[in-house]
Amino acid sequence: MTNGWGAADAVPAHEVVGALRDVARMGGFFDLDTAQGPGSGEGGLTGEGFAARARTVNERYDTAEARVGVSIAHLGLAARLWSPVLACALLHGIVPETATVEWAGDSPTLRLAEPRGSRAPQSTSSLADAVRAQADGVLEGVERGLPVKVAPRLLAGNSASALVGSAAQLLRSRPGLRAPLTGLTRELLQTGRLLGTGEVTGPELTFRRRSCCLYYRALNGSKCGDCCLAR
């Protein structure tokens, strides 16, 4: 994947680190670690690493259906990519480059091995392209090595659901971002494979997707709030 990075747009590493550490204070999926330390040894988001995490999900939910573990793990990974990239872009005007994202040890947490980034474009459409490339673009790379076949529209729906979920959490934490955040989220849902995956249904960035993540098929699972099957 090319990222279109240019020297004129590049942001010093310390600024990228500072932005990521700031948004990490929102907790959970916004935490993209930049600290040096032992990684997973996989050198990135490998298919083997993802498969191991999907198996862990299957064990946790006591289900033998491989697609369920893959989809739930994929949805979590999507949220961990969208959240910090979206937050840094809107709060700091920096789009982190995620080409060196890796698993942080055996946990689902991510770390950016080589913090780099660029200045966020001024136009909403250009910003959407930049943000999507660093979140959904990386996710698509992981999908090429999935251990089991999963419908492409389910995977795209997972990414869209994670995007809007991340945006909604950011809105709750930073309500002053409502206008630019809503505009960027709607633009992203018209970008690339996210087009047609669902729609924003309310001012608090509630969402209704057109596919299902399969969580309801896990033991004690249920239909998610944005699921097409929910009524």
Side-chain angles (χ1 to χ4, degrees), residues 148-190:
V148 65
K149 183 175 177 59
V150 179
R153 292 309 289 169
L154 184 156
L155 297 173
N158 278 358
S159 184
S161 178
L163 158 64
V164 183
S166 297
Q169 178 59 45
L170 181 55
L171 178 60
R172 287 190 288 271
S173 298
R174 300 289 191 276
L177 288 178
R178 181 179 297 276
L181 177 57
T182 299
L184 178 57
T185 301
R186 290 185 181 277
E187 184 72 28
L188 281 162
L189 289 173
Q190 299 298 313

Side-chain angles (χ1 to χ4, degrees), residues 5 11 15-16 18-24 26 30 32 81-98 116-124 126-135 163 170 174 177 180-181 184-185 188:
W5 241 251
V11 175
E15 288 190 33
V16 179
L20 286 168
R21 288 179 177 172
D22 178 58
V23 303
M26 287 185 280
F30 290 89
L32 179 55
L81 289 167
W82 280 114
S83 297
V85 175
L86 193 64
C88 280
L90 288 173
L91 288 171
H92 295 276
I94 294 173
V95 180
E97 180 183 0
T98 56
R116 290 186 291 175
S118 69
R119 300 294 176 196
Q122 294 299 305
S123 78
T124 302
S126 295
L127 180 57
D129 288 337
V131 168
R132 193 202 69 81
Q134 301 306 325
L163 158 64
L170 181 55
R174 300 289 191 276
L177 288 178
L181 177 57
L184 178 57
T185 301
L188 281 162

Side-chain angles (χ1 to χ4, degrees), residues 42-125:
E42 296 164 358
L45 300 183
T46 65
E48 293 83 356
F50 180 84
R53 286 155 179 82
R55 287 193 296 271
T56 298
V57 171
N58 279 109
E59 292 168 3
R60 181 185 309 145
Y61 291 104
D62 194 21
T63 176
E65 189 174 357
R67 289 189 312 149
V68 174
V70 166
S71 180
I72 295 173
H74 176 269
L75 186 57
L77 175 59
R80 291 184 184 279
L81 289 167
W82 280 114
S83 297
V85 175
L86 193 64
C88 280
L90 288 173
L91 288 171
H92 295 276
I94 294 173
V95 180
E97 180 183 0
T98 56
T100 63
V101 163
E102 62 182 11
W103 306 111
D106 295 327
S107 76
T109 304
L110 301 180
R111 180 175 63 212
L112 195 58
E114 297 178 22
R116 290 186 291 175
S118 69
R119 300 294 176 196
Q122 294 299 305
S123 78
T124 302
S125 60

